[in-house]
C-alpha cells in the first residue's frame, strides 16, 4: 500500500480555523487527520504542502517511525510548533489508514482497550460578560448537559499582574461557579501563562477554598524556574504542556516535579507515536496526561483513541458542544459526550472511524479567525464584540498534493 495523494481542507469559524488532511492510497483508502493551528494556518498549510511530496506521497503509511525521523531529523532544522503540527496531521492520517487496512480501530494498535469510557471536560462554554451570576448560570447548563468537569478562565485580558479589583472579581466568578455546580464537579482554572510567579501564587491562594482540580499554565511555559516558584507556593495541582512540541521540551516539566498533569496536544506534538512514548515516560514519574484539544471532530476522535489505550490518561478537553457545535457536521459520525456520564464512548469502526463531509466543509470557508487573549471580550469567541478585530480573508479551502 502506497500513499498517492494528500489533500488539505480548511474550515473557518469565528475564532479558529480547522485544517484537515486526507491521505489517499493506491488501494482506494483515505485516511484523515486534523490540526487547529494557533494563529498560523497559512504557515501550516504551506509546511504540509512542502513536506508531503518529500516524505509522504509515495510512502507506506505503516512506516510512521521513518516518517517522524524524516520530518524531525532529515530536515535538519529543529522541530517546532509548525513542523510538529504538520507531522501530527500526517501521523494521524497514516494510523487511520493502518486501522482501515487491518479492519480494526486505532486503539487496538496502540495497546488495546484499557478503558471503555473517556471522561471529558467542557471548554468554550463561558461566553458571557465577566459577571459571576451570568457565568454561574452557564455553568449550570454545562452540568445539565452531563459534564462532570468544566474549565474556565476568569481573568479577562490580564497580563503579568492582576489588580486587586480584578482578583476579587475572578474569585467571585469561581465562587459562583462552585456554588452553582456543587462540590462533586471538577473546576479547572485556566491561567494561560499570563502571570508572574508572585501573582500566580497569590491567585492560587485566593482560589484554594473552591477546590479547583488544577491550575493550568500559571506562568509562561518556557520558564521552568518560574513554575517551580509557583509549585513551592501552592498545594493545588498544576497542569501545563500544551505549548511543548517535543518530548525533549517536556524533560524539565517531568523531571523537576513541578507538574502534576501534562497537557501536550496530540495535534502539535507529532501524533500518536510520540504521545504513547510520552505517556509511558510520564507514568514512571507518576504523572497523568490530559491532552490539550481545541480540534473539531477529527482531532477529538484521535484523542479518544489515545485515551482508550493509555492507562495514565485523566481527562479529554472538548469545545464542540458549546463553541461552534456545527463542526460536528463536518464528519459522518462525530465523537459525542454522553449526557448520562459526561464521557466519550470508545469507537469501534476501523481506523479513526470518521469520514470528512466535504459539502459541510465547503459551507464554512476560511475566516482567519483567532483568539486574542489580551483584548477584552476574547472569551465570547467570535461575538460581534470580537469579530471586528479578525481578518476576514476568503481563500481556497482545499489544496491537492500529488
Amino acid at each position: 500500500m502506497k500513499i498517492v495523494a494528500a489533500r488539505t481542507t480548511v474550515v473557518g469559524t469565528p475564532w479558529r480555523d480547522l485544517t484537515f488532511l486526507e491521505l489517499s492510497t493506491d488501494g482506494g483508502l483515505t485516511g484523515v487527520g486534523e490540526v487547529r493551528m494557533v494563529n498560523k494556518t497559512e504557515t501550516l498549510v504551506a509546511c504540509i504542502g512542502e513536506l508531503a511530496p518529500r516524505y509522504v506521497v509515495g510512502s507506506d503509511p505503516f512506516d510512521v517511525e521513518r516518517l517522524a525521523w524524516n520530518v524531525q531529523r532529515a530536515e535538519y532544522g529543529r522541530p517546532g510548533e509548525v513542523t510538529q503540527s504538520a507531522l501530527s496531521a500526517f501521523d494521524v492520517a497514516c494510523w487511520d489508514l493502518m486501522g482501515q487496512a487491518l479492519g480494526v480501530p486505532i486503539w487496538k494498535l496502540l495497546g488495546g482497550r484499557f478503558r471503555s469510557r473517556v471522561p471529558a471536560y467542557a471548554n468554550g462554554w463561558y461566553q458571557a460578560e465577566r459577571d459571576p451570576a451570568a457565568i454561574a448560570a452557564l455553568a449550570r447548563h454545562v452540568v445539565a448537559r452531563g459534564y462532570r468537569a468544566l474549565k474556565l478562565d476568569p481573568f479577562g485580558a490580564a497580563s503579568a499582574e492582576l489588580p486587586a479589583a480584578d482578583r476579587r472579581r475572578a474569585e467571585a466568578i469561581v465562587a459562583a461557579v462552585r456554588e452553582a455546580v456543587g462540590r462533586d464537579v471538577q473546576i479547572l482554572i485556566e491561567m494561560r501563562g499570563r502571570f508572574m510567579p508572585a501573582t500566580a501564587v497569590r491567585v492560587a491562594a485566593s482560589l484554594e477554598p473552591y477546590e479547583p482540580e488544577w491550575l493550568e499554565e500559571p506562568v509562561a511555559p518556557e520558564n521552568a524556574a518560574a513554575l517551580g516558584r509557583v509549585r513551592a507556593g501552592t498545594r493545588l495541582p498544576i497542569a501545563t504542556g500544551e505549548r511543548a512540541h517535543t518530548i525533549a521540551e517536556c524533560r524539565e516539566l517531568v523531571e523537576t516535579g513541578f507538574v502534576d498533569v501534562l497537557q501536550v496536544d496530540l495535534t502539535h506534538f507529532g501524533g500518536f507515536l510520540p504521545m504513547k512514548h510520552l505517556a509511558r515516560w510520564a507514568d514512571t514519574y507518576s504523572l497523568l496526561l490530559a491532552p490539550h484539544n481545541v480540534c473539531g471532530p477529527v482531532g477529538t476522535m484521535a484523542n479518544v483513541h489515545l485515551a482508550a489505550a493509555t492507562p495514565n490518561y485523566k481527562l479529554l478537553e472538548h469545545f464542540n458542544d458549546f463553541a461552534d457545535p456545527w463542526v460536528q457536521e463536518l464528519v459522518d459520525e462525530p465523537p459525542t459526550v454522553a449526557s448520562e456520564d459526561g464521557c466519550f464512548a470508545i469507537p469501534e469502526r476501523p481506523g479513526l472511524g470518521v469520514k470528512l463531509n466535504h459539502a459541510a466543509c465547503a459551507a464554512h470557508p476560511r475566516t482567519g479567525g483567532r483568539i486574542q487573549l489580551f483584548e477584552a471580550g476574547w472569551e465570547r469567541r467570535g461575538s460581534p464584540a470580537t469579530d471586528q478585530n479578525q481578518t476576514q480573508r476568503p481563500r481556497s479551502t482545499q489544496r491537492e498534493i500529488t
Side-chain angles (χ1 to χ4, degrees):
M1 181 168 60
K2 297 294 182 183
I3 296 169
V4 296
R7 176 166 68 171
T8 56
T9 300
V10 181
V11 173
T13 85
W15 63 281
R16 57 178 173 169
D17 277 341
L18 305 177
T19 302
F20 299 97
L21 170 74
E22 293 172 290
L23 300 180
S24 302
T25 72
D26 53 3
L29 297 178
T30 299
V32 62
E34 179 193 2
V35 177
R36 177 272 194 168
M37 194 64 192
V38 185
N39 297 348
K40 301 180 186 70
T41 299
E42 282 287 309
T43 309
L44 172 65
V45 172
C47 185
I48 290 173
E50 187 169 9
L51 295 179
R54 198 173 293 168
Y55 302 120
V56 181
V57 175
S59 71
D60 184 332
F62 281 80
D63 295 340
V64 288
E65 286 279 8
R66 183 69 189 190
L67 170 62
W69 187 89
N70 280 333
V71 173
Q72 296 174 323
R73 294 287 181 258
E75 282 294 290
Y76 190 69
R78 292 178 63 178
E81 178 185 358
V82 177
T83 54
Q84 287 295 91
S85 299
L87 175 58
S88 297
F90 296 143
D91 177 272
V92 171
C94 283
W95 283 89
D96 188 11
L97 290 170
M98 284 188 248
Q100 292 180 54
L102 297 172
V104 297
I106 290 173
W107 56 261
K108 281 187 177 287
L109 307 178
L110 296 174
R113 188 192 303 266
F114 180 82
R115 58 175 55 83
S116 296
R117 309 290 289 172
V118 176
Y121 71 85
N123 203 345
W125 56 271
Y126 50 98
Q127 299 177 44
E129 297 285 346
R130 290 180 65 232
D131 173 70
I135 295 178
L138 294 175
R140 292 188 192 95
H141 176 59
V142 174
V143 175
R145 170 62 182 77
Y147 284 88
R148 309 301 198 258
L150 50 83
K151 185 162 75 178
L152 77 154
D153 177 345
F155 305 110
S159 176
E161 296 186 302
L162 193 64
D166 284 338
R167 189 169 66 249
R168 288 192 296 271
R169 177 178 286 195
E171 180 180 355
I173 290 170
V174 176
V177 170
R178 174 55 76 200
E179 183 177 1
V181 303
R183 289 287 171 181
D184 294 334
V185 172
Q186 296 177 352
I187 298 177
L188 319 172
I189 302 299
E190 171 71 270
M191 303 175 88
R192 302 184 188 278
R194 296 179 181 279
F195 299 123
M196 295 298 175
T199 298
V201 169
R202 178 177 286 182
V203 170
S206 70
L207 299 184
E208 191 167 329
Y210 312 106
E211 300 179 331
E213 187 69 12
W214 69 48
L215 302 178
E216 181 170 331
E217 272 198 332
V219 294
E222 67 272 12
N223 193 335
L227 190 63
R229 291 171 60 188
V230 180
R231 169 80 288 161
T234 181
R235 298 179 298 174
L236 295 175
I238 293 175
T240 194
E242 72 176 69
R243 286 185 268 185
H245 305 297
T246 66
I247 291 176
E249 290 179 16
C250 295
R251 185 181 61 81
E252 284 188 291
L253 298 178
V254 172
E255 294 180 352
T256 56
F258 295 160
V259 177
D260 302 286
V261 182
L262 283 173
Q263 296 180 289
V264 293
D265 187 317
L266 184 154
T267 68
H268 297 312
F269 202 72
F272 287 116
L273 198 63
M275 291 294 287
K276 286 297 290 187
H277 293 171
L278 179 68
R280 287 297 186 192
W281 181 49
D283 192 46
T284 65
Y285 286 82
S286 300
L287 297 179
L288 296 171
L289 264 62
H292 176 257
N293 172 46
V294 194
C295 281
V298 175
T300 298
M301 185 65 92
N303 272 283
V304 172
H305 281 274
L306 177 68
T310 304
N312 56 329
Y313 202 109
K314 178 178 172 67
L315 285 169
L316 173 55
E317 184 172 19
H318 194 226
F319 276 82
N320 301 328
D321 278 330
F322 303 98
D324 318 314
W326 56 262
V327 302
Q328 297 291 72
E329 301 168 7
L330 301 176
V331 298
D332 56 347
E333 291 194 21
T336 57
V337 174
S339 58
E340 314 88 69
D341 63 356
C343 295
F344 291 99
I346 304 304
E348 298 293 346
R349 297 170 76 185
L352 203 58
V354 294
K355 298 295 183 185
L356 210 57
N357 180 336
H358 291 105
C361 292
H364 299 279
R366 306 169 69 168
T367 65
R370 60 192 177 94
I371 286 288
Q372 301 179 77
L373 292 172
F374 302 107
E375 294 188 10
W378 68 264
E379 54 272 270
R380 297 175 203 166
R381 298 183 185 276
S383 71
T386 53
D387 276 350
Q388 61 186 352
N389 295 318
Q390 295 173 5
T391 303
Q392 302 293 327
R393 299 169 61 193
R395 307 180 184 94
S396 173
T397 61
Q398 292 188 343
R399 179 177 177 181
E400 188 85 18
I401 306 162
T402 57

